[in-house]
Amino acid sequence: MSDLLAEALIILFEVLCGKIFCEIFGIVRNKGWINLVQLMALEISVFVAARTFSNILILKQIIVASLYVLVMLWHVKISMGKAFVLGWLYQAMMLSTDYFAYSIGKELCSLSEAVGKQYNLEKILMILLGKAILFLGIIIIRRKLGKKSVEVLCDTDWLKLLIFPIFTIVIIISMLSFFKYVETPEQIMLVFIGAFGMIGMNIVVFYLINDIVEREIQLCENKIVQLQVKNQSEMYRSISENFDKQKKKTHEYKNQIDCIGHLLKKQQYSKLEEYVKTVHGSIDKELDAIDTNNVIVNAILNTKYQEADINGIVVVLRVNDLSGVWIKDEDVVTILSNLLDNAIEACKKCDSGKRILKLKFVNEDGMIKIGVKNTFSNPIVYENGKIKSTKLIKTEEHGIGIQNIIDVIEKYGGSYIIKDDNYEFYFSIIIPA
């Protein structure tokens, strides 16, 4: 393998590591072919700078760091100051890992074979060791400082991901340790291919896993959107149905008044009393039991209250005037529908007499305060610090309802507490103005 090709491949690996590093701290501006153009421009620029100023180390480092700063500004959405710091930080990381790898290499082997000198095997292996350590460091930084995409993988999965770069480091160190047994050009070429192949596979494995994670995120977000649309559609359909019922009842009330007037005219007071009692009872059942001066909240609470009542669930409410609620209607639907659906579902599994649901929804002290407490019978399962649904059906929606609620809370800068104690589940929310 020629020195020119080896240098080009090493710089390509540095460029790819730099791309991964800067994406930790900003949102990618463009994808597709523009991304490829950026990589090629940086690869060529760094390669030319490295060869042109190979004898002037300080100037070379300044130029290369400046190139990384410019490409970071082009590739991700970050400020000039942040790009400057990150560009120089990445350059410092490369120098540090190269020096660390050089120290390890000098401890492990001594370059005395003529064949080794001819092909610069020891030098290239030490450089590749430095790049493998650099890649491992970037992966760890990504785990600690990365955004949403890295949260999909739990700690155990990340440890499995780290096995490959660690294995690569061990293999290259082993190659350096047994360097003295390499005697022929064919053996040296085999070592070159093995070392560069291991380094290249790190990048391939990383992007394969990254693509899988991004697809999982997209699928999860699609499910969340579908669930939100479903909740909103059901609630708006309920509001529409209630409105249609009210229009029908208006006509019925007119007929009932006519009937009452007729009975009065005929002085049939006993039949009138019986009829009024019947009408009064039906009106009590049909009128909304809850009025908060908020149409959306009323629709949700009355619908869920009737569902709870049918299932023998005792509902305790504390509400006040919610006409001034500033949360968007669709977000109110997301919070209340998911909270009450989960609470009713849990209560239905409890024994009769132990089905209790308590709801607090008030606007006071410049804050929206929502709290739901319900009894449950089945143990709550937690996975990676998050609640895992215990539903026996639609297992693909595990945890999506609660995650929807949390997303809305975070959208408005609110806070929440989730806890369970003595077979009571509690979800409390505070959203400031």
Side-chain angles (χ1 to χ4, degrees):
M1 181 179 290
S2 68
D3 290 346
L4 191 65
L5 178 58
E7 186 176 357
L9 291 175
I10 290 169
I11 291 175
L12 177 60
F13 188 76
E14 288 180 354
V15 167
L16 290 171
C17 286
K19 174 180 178 294
I20 297 169
F21 179 73
C22 70
E23 288 174 358
I24 298 173
F25 303 95
I27 301 173
V28 177
R29 294 181 185 274
N30 302 291
K31 293 185 178 180
W33 66 270
I34 296 180
N35 205 338
L36 182 61
V37 170
Q38 292 170 343
L39 287 175
M40 294 302 297
L42 183 58
E43 163 75 10
I44 294 170
S45 300
V46 174
F47 181 79
V48 171
R51 293 194 68 84
T52 304
F53 303 100
S54 58
N55 297 324
I56 312 173
L57 184 60
I58 296 177
L59 183 58
K60 172 187 171 182
Q61 301 304 324
I62 293 173
I63 293 174
V64 171
S66 300
L67 289 171
Y68 279 110
V69 171
L70 293 174
V71 171
M72 283 184 182
L73 282 171
W74 184 16
H75 184 57
V76 296
K77 298 177 182 178
I78 54 176
S79 64
M80 173 70 77
K82 192 173 182 179
F84 181 82
V85 172
L86 293 176
W88 278 96
L89 177 60
Y90 180 63
Q91 189 68 13
M93 288 174 60
M94 286 195 294
L95 291 173
S96 300
T97 53
D98 286 344
Y99 179 78
F100 183 60
Y102 177 79
S103 301
I104 294 175
K106 298 309 289 184
E107 288 290 330
L108 292 175
C109 63
S110 175
L111 185 56
S112 58
E113 289 78 4
V115 175
K117 287 181 179 179
Q118 180 183 352
Y119 288 90
N120 293 322
L121 178 59
E122 182 188 30
K123 177 183 175 182
I124 292 177
L125 286 178
M126 282 192 273
I127 293 174
L128 291 178
L129 176 60
K131 304 314 167 191
I133 297 172
L134 174 67
F135 180 73
L136 177 62
I138 290 173
I139 293 296
I140 294 172
I141 293 172
R142 181 182 171 86
R143 174 57 175 170
K144 296 297 181 181
L145 303 179
K147 296 184 174 64
K148 187 176 181 179
S149 61
V150 301
E151 296 175 0
V152 175
L153 297 179
C154 63
D155 290 337
T156 305
D157 294 329
W158 271 95
L159 288 175
K160 293 176 182 178
L161 176 60
L162 292 179
I163 289 176
F164 201 80
I166 291 173
F167 179 72
T168 301
I169 292 171
V170 172
I171 291 297
I172 296 177
I173 290 176
S174 301
M175 290 178 177
L176 285 167
S177 300
F178 295 99
F179 175 77
K180 60 184 178 180
Y181 299 110
V182 178
E183 298 177 350
T184 66
E186 289 77 12
Q187 289 176 332
I188 288 178
M189 184 58 64
L190 183 62
V191 172
F192 272 141
I193 293 173
F196 277 98
M198 291 291 292
I199 291 291
M201 283 303 298
N202 276 274
I203 294 293
V204 172
V205 169
F206 172 81
Y207 277 106
L208 283 175
I209 294 176
N210 192 62
D211 288 343
I212 292 171
V213 168
E214 288 185 353
R215 282 197 296 270
E216 287 292 323
I217 291 172
Q218 188 61 49
L219 288 173
C220 185
E221 288 178 349
N222 290 340
K223 289 178 183 178
I224 289 174
V225 170
Q226 291 171 5
L227 195 58
Q228 288 175 334
V229 171
K230 177 184 175 183
N231 287 337
Q232 292 170 14
S233 298
E234 289 178 353
M235 192 50 56
Y236 292 139
R237 188 187 70 244
S238 175
I239 293 171
S240 178
E241 289 174 354
N242 287 337
F243 182 70
D244 291 338
K245 288 179 182 177
Q246 289 299 324
K247 287 197 297 184
K248 292 178 182 178
K249 290 300 176 184
T250 300
H251 294 287
E252 291 182 15
Y253 294 153
K254 182 178 181 297
N255 294 331
Q256 290 167 355
I257 291 172
D258 290 341
C259 182
I260 291 171
H262 178 75
L263 292 173
L264 280 172
K265 185 177 181 180
K266 296 294 183 180
Q267 296 183 351
Q268 297 179 359
Y269 300 116
S270 59
K271 289 185 177 181
L272 174 61
E273 183 180 1
E274 182 181 347
Y275 181 72
V276 168
K277 287 181 180 179
T278 303
V279 172
H280 186 270
S282 65
I283 291 175
D284 281 344
K285 291 180 180 179
E286 291 161 2
L287 291 177
D288 286 344
I290 306 163
D291 184 11
T292 65
N293 292 327
N294 186 303
V295 176
I296 298 299
V297 176
N298 287 350
I300 299 170
L301 294 186
N302 282 288
T303 301
K304 300 305 178 184
Y305 177 82
Q306 292 172 13
E307 182 181 349
D309 185 55
I310 291 171
N311 288 281
I313 301 171
V314 177
V315 180
V316 180
L317 291 170
R318 183 193 165 195
V319 296
N320 63 1
D321 184 359
L322 299 176
S323 58
V325 169
W326 55 87
I327 304 174
K328 292 182 179 179
D329 291 345
E330 58 266 29
D331 294 330
V332 171
V333 172
T334 297
I335 292 176
L336 283 184
S337 294
N338 283 300
L339 281 177
L340 293 175
D341 282 345
N342 291 341
I344 291 171
E345 185 70 24
C347 287
K348 284 163 63 176
K349 297 177 182 178
C350 296
D351 295 334
S352 179
K354 295 183 179 180
R355 300 176 180 180
I356 302 173
L357 190 161
K358 299 178 182 178
L359 170 67
K360 173 184 176 182
F361 192 160
V362 295
N363 179 7
E364 60 184 17
D365 302 325
M367 293 182 290
I368 298 295
K369 300 177 183 179
I370 304 173
V372 172
K373 181 183 287 187
N374 62 270
T375 53
F376 65 91
S377 58
N378 296 333
I380 295 177
V381 180
Y382 291 88
E383 186 176 86
N384 300 323
K386 296 182 180 180
I387 294 175
K388 182 177 180 180
S389 173
T390 56
K391 295 178 182 177
L392 298 179
I393 58 175
K394 295 184 179 180
T395 55
E396 71 276 5
E397 295 182 1
H398 281 179
I400 291 180
I402 288 179
Q403 187 58 51
N404 282 347
I405 299 171
I406 294 172
D407 289 343
V408 173
I409 296 169
E410 292 176 347
K411 172 183 174 181
Y412 290 93
S415 58
Y416 66 93
I417 295 175
I418 302 176
K419 62 181 180 180
D420 63 279
D421 182 44
N422 196 25
Y423 286 95
E424 279 193 327
F425 179 78
Y426 184 58
F427 200 130
S428 177
I429 302 167
I430 294 179
I431 298 178

